[in-house]
């Protein structure tokens, strides 16, 4: 669910909304180790699109484990896993004494079973998840129409 507020996915979504093939590449660790491995994977994925195009437009979320290229276990097409709620918001003060709020750390994986992006990355595989933008909960439209129509 955190792709909904991911800046990386949001940037790729802009391309998608303009009708362009779009990739959101993310390195699954924050220590910048193996950035060369992630760059190599990104290049290979884009090269694959250039040589054998997937019908555009599309939006792919690509999560790359923070391991050496030779240690990667391949590429897996996945669905999104789900996280538990994030840690609580932390209220603090900036240098001027004004309140600031730090969003708590992301919650632990809640749905990380086989076939999820979490599972693939934990196993050292690159995860590619096709995304779409329409968040409409179609099966609830009639219920909400009925609710709105009530006096």
């Amino acid at each position: 669910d955190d792709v909904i507020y991911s800046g990386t996915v949001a940037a790729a979504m802009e391309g998608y909304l303009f009708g362009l093939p779009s990739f959101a590449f993310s390195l699954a660790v924050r220590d910048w180790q193996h950035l060369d491995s992630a760059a190599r994977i990104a290049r290979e994925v884009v090269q694959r699109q250039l040589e054998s195009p997937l019908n555009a437009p599309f939006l792919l979320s690509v999560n790359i484990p923070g391991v050496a290229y030779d240690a990667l276990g391949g590429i897996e097409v996945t669905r999104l896993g789900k996280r538990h709620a994030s840690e609580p918001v932390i209220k603090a003060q900036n240098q001027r004494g004004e309140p600031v709020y730090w969003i708590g750390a992301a919650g632990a994986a809640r749905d990380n079973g086989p076939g999820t992006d979490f599972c693939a990355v934990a196993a050292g595989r690159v995860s590619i998840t096709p995304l779409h933008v329409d968040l409409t909960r179609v099966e609830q439209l009639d219920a909400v129409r009925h609710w709105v129509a009530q006096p």
Side-chain angles (χ1 to χ4, degrees):
D1 295 337
D2 48 356
V3 299
I4 293 171
Y5 48 87
S6 162
T8 305
V9 171
M13 193 178 299
E14 284 296 314
Y16 171 78
L17 293 173
F18 280 106
L20 301 171
S22 300
F23 303 92
F25 291 103
S26 298
L27 182 58
V29 295
R30 296 185 187 273
D31 62 9
W32 297 100
Q33 280 192 314
H34 306 295
L35 189 58
D36 58 331
S37 177
R40 188 169 171 184
I41 288 295
R43 184 177 60 243
E44 289 176 6
V45 169
V46 171
Q47 188 65 40
R48 181 182 300 258
Q49 170 61 19
L50 293 173
E51 292 173 359
S52 180
L54 194 60
N55 290 334
F58 63 78
L59 173 57
L60 299 179
S61 175
V62 182
N63 289 288
I64 305 164
V67 298
Y69 182 83
D70 293 339
L72 290 170
I75 296 176
E76 182 177 346
V77 178
T78 60
R79 66 178 176 83
L80 294 176
K82 295 191 182 300
R83 291 188 185 276
H84 288 284
S86 66
E87 298 294 320
V89 172
I90 301 164
K91 184 177 180 180
Q93 288 186 345
N94 66 15
Q95 297 88 337
R96 294 183 295 270
E98 301 165 330
V100 294
Y101 300 90
W102 293 90
I103 297 174
R110 176 170 46 106
D111 174 9
N112 60 350
T116 65
D117 51 352
F118 289 132
C119 185
V121 169
R125 295 186 297 274
V126 175
S127 163
I128 299 183
T129 306
L131 304 176
H132 68 100
V133 177
D134 187 356
L135 296 176
T136 304
R137 190 168 179 189
V138 175
E139 70 274 6
Q140 202 172 29
L141 285 171
D142 287 338
V144 174
R145 283 185 189 109
H146 177 74
W147 176 75
V148 168
Q150 290 180 357

